[in-house]
Amino acid sequence: MEHFSTKIQKSYTTDILIIGSGSAGCAAAIAAGQGNYKVTLIERYGFAGGTSTQMLDTFYGFFTPSDTPRKIVGGIPDQVVNELCKTGDIFLRPNTYGAGTGVNYNPEKLKELWDRFLIGNGIDTFFHTTLVAVEKTGEASSCICFHKGLGFFRIHAKRIIDASGDADYCHWAEIPYELAGEKEAAQSMTTTFRMANVDLDRFEKSGGKKLLKEKMKMAYKSGSHPLPRKEGSAHEMCQPSCISTVAVKVVDKDPLTPNGITEAEQEGRRQAFIFEDFFRAEIPGYENAKIIGLSTQIGVRETRRVYGEYRLTKEDCMTAKQFEDQVFLCGAPIEDHRKASGSGSETFWQYVPNGKVYGVPYRTLVPQKSENTWVVGRCFSATHDAHASCRSMAQTMSMGQAAGFAAVQSLDADTGAKGLDVAYLQNTLLSKGAILEFPDNIADTSRNGWLNNTL
């Protein structure tokens, strides 16, 4: 990377560098910040949270989606929801769309909460900062970053956690990965939007979500409104008389190319206002509603998936496989948002049988050909189908906390990611409230307050 040498404006050093402050990256930083090391987090936007604050308002994956739901995630994810509960910024959404009970939250409050967690754990955070190159020196890394005010600068780190979503660090460090779309069609992208001034009582009395589903199908088939899909969700928010949606569907665009992501963003916004017209014209209670916000960027479900020391597979998920080195659990169904086929099929669902869960091994967080790196979030090591199950934010936060504690442990023991004592890591996770075995107790998801992991 010699061409950067005359452009570097400043150099920093850190022990643990985290690329990306989505739910996985923030959890990794919070965990790593509990050690005795300097932890640095870089983020290309001006706030933390990634998908959790840019486009969504519901955590899924805390509970199994069954008639007898179990709470299967704990630790740092619980701490986040506990804090939101203190200020009345959550409520539980029932298993309406098949993914299990969701924890609905105020995403604007969550932005401020992520700040408090990062500051409280002593994390050196750089917003408006983008990774643009990597220089490797043995098992240490120098990450070349760009900030519009400072220009190019270097961060030299002993340990790296790639939580970028797009595996940006692994890409620049030439760590192997698979591109989504190479074997199976990549999942579609979604611009979420929020509407205000919705008469929710009128909506419910007129048929609620059942009516919405019927109206969308009718409009899609008749062409009365040029909707991109015949399925989609709209749910109430913490803010009164407001709803949030997952309805827009953008396909056949490459989010890793300048033209592809630009066209996807433009198409997502175009579709959002088609949906606004549809809601106002066709859905009781929405007559006076208007869009008040679009997601900060279009929601991208998959791009690069890193090849790890182990690759989670569909068979692992559907057989509820358990692993000796598992560091969290998942019971979410495969939820594959596809381009509509000739039959009009849009989203493929397949459930873990009998309401069970599978374990996710530590090795899925450890990339091949590196000793100082962990990968968390939607770029972790999984096949397309397994990824479509294990991508809920409760799971990505669980990945982050495992990697954060692992990075600290590796520095304490002076060992690489691959040589880590996983049993010790598991004990650390359990001591922090994580759940690593299928619980016998049934979660009471009808309660208004948040549920702790001692149910």
Side-chain angles (χ1 to χ4, degrees):
M1 297 296 174
E2 294 180 359
H3 57 292
F4 280 108
S5 59
T6 59
K7 300 178 182 178
I8 300 298
Q9 302 298 314
K10 194 169 183 178
S11 293
Y12 300 86
T13 60
T14 192
D15 294 308
I16 302 171
L17 175 62
I18 300 159
I19 314 294
S21 71
S23 54
C26 283
I30 294 164
Q34 296 177 32
N36 297 312
Y37 301 100
K38 184 175 181 180
V39 180
T40 303
L41 175 67
I42 67 169
E43 165 58 46
R44 62 176 172 156
Y45 289 103
F47 55 89
T51 296
S52 73
T53 51
Q54 291 175 15
M55 58 202 70
L56 296 183
D57 67 346
T58 305
F59 293 131
Y60 281 112
F62 276 95
F63 304 99
T64 56
S66 63
D67 293 333
T68 55
R70 264 73 171 182
K71 182 173 178 292
I72 57 169
V73 166
I76 289 171
D78 269 349
Q79 295 174 27
V80 173
V81 182
N82 285 339
E83 289 300 311
L84 290 168
C85 186
K86 288 179 182 178
T87 53
D89 285 298
I90 69 160
F91 65 87
L92 298 183
R93 284 176 52 203
N95 184 20
T96 305
Y97 295 105
T101 298
V103 183
N104 187 273
Y105 57 84
N106 178 351
E108 302 305 320
K109 183 63 178 179
L110 183 56
K111 289 178 184 178
E112 187 269 340
L113 178 57
W114 284 131
D115 284 340
R116 276 195 280 134
F117 271 113
L118 296 175
I119 293 168
N121 283 275
I123 311 304
D124 196 13
T125 303
F126 294 2
F127 287 143
H128 298 293
T129 298
T130 303
L131 176 71
V132 296
V134 173
E135 298 171 335
K136 295 285 289 181
T137 307
E139 278 306 319
S141 298
S142 285
C143 292
I144 309 301
C145 302
F146 180 80
H147 182 278
K148 64 179 182 179
L150 181 60
F152 295 105
F153 65 96
R154 178 184 287 110
I155 303 177
H156 186 77
K158 297 176 183 177
R159 303 289 187 271
I160 303 288
I161 300 176
D162 188 341
S164 64
D166 295 322
D168 290 335
Y169 173 83
C170 291
H171 171 70
W172 294 115
E174 299 182 344
I175 293 171
Y177 59 82
E178 176 188 5
L179 275 173
E182 286 182 333
K183 297 179 181 178
E184 306 92 348
Q187 293 201 61
S188 60
M189 295 178 276
T190 298
T191 299
T192 60
F193 61 89
R194 295 158 188 164
M195 298 183 75
N197 203 30
V198 180
D199 187 337
L200 290 168
D201 288 339
R202 174 166 157 72
F203 172 65
E204 290 299 331
K205 290 175 182 177
S206 299
K209 292 181 173 66
K210 182 179 179 180
L211 175 67
L212 173 60
K213 188 175 181 179
E214 292 172 353
K215 290 280 191 179
M216 280 190 68
K217 284 183 178 180
M218 291 171 58
Y220 179 85
K221 290 179 179 179
S222 68
S224 60
H225 295 272
L227 303 183
R229 61 192 298 178
K230 62 181 180 181
E231 305 171 341
S233 68
H235 60 263
E236 63 182 300
M237 301 177 64
C238 287
Q239 295 85 343
S241 302
C242 292
I243 62 97
S244 181
T245 70
V246 179
V248 165
K249 184 168 192 163
V250 178
V251 299
D252 297 332
K253 307 292 183 185
D254 184 351
L256 293 177
T257 65
N259 288 342
I261 192 62
T262 299
E263 292 170 2
E265 295 281 15
Q266 293 168 336
E267 174 63 13
R269 286 189 284 271
R270 185 188 73 85
Q271 290 184 18
F273 285 94
I274 290 174
F275 272 105
E276 181 188 65
D277 291 341
F278 162 74
F279 275 107
R280 285 169 56 84
E282 302 292 341
I283 309 301
Y286 282 79
E287 294 88 350
N288 298 311
K290 296 286 282 184
I291 287 177
I292 56 167
L294 304 174
S295 52
T296 304
Q297 72 155 68
I298 194 167
V300 179
R301 290 186 171 90
E302 56 176 346
T303 50
R304 303 181 182 113
R305 297 191 298 274
V306 172
Y307 287 115
E309 289 296 288
Y310 184 84
R311 203 164 188 227
L312 191 70
T313 67
K314 178 180 180 178
E315 183 179 4
D316 295 335
C317 304
M318 292 299 110
T319 59
K321 188 170 181 178
Q322 305 298 301
F323 297 85
E324 286 189 7
D325 66 333
Q326 63 195 38
V327 288
F328 65 95
L329 303 175
C330 183
I334 293 173
E335 182 185 347
D336 186 353
H337 291 255
R338 300 172 169 178
K339 181 178 179 179
S341 67
S343 64
S345 176
E346 296 180 337
T347 304
F348 172 79
W349 296 83
Q350 186 172 349
Y351 287 82
V352 182
N354 303 315
K356 297 292 186 181
V357 301
Y358 57 89
V360 181
Y362 168 74
R363 290 164 291 159
T364 63
L365 311 182
V366 180
Q368 297 175 4
K369 299 185 179 180
S370 179
E371 282 290 345
N372 74 331
T373 308
W374 292 263
V375 59
V376 297
R378 63 178 170 84
C379 49
F380 87 117
S381 181
T383 64
H384 170 82
D385 291 318
H387 173 274
S389 167
C390 196
R391 60 185 176 85
S392 296
M393 286 189 287
Q395 277 65 48
T396 60
M397 286 190 281
S398 297
M399 294 181 202
Q401 75 174 351
F405 289 129
V408 170
Q409 183 181 326
S410 75
L411 289 169
D412 286 343
D414 192 23
T415 187
K418 294 182 177 66
L420 205 74
D421 182 345
V422 179
Y424 186 92
L425 174 61
Q426 290 171 324
N427 286 333
T428 300
L429 289 167
L430 290 169
S431 73
K432 301 295 183 178
I435 302 172
L436 304 185
E437 293 183 356
F438 186 62
D440 293 328
N441 51 288
I442 299 172
D444 179 6
T445 59
S446 65
R447 289 172 52 183
N448 292 324
W450 179 235
L451 310 169
N452 61 41
N453 56 18
T454 59
L455 283 169

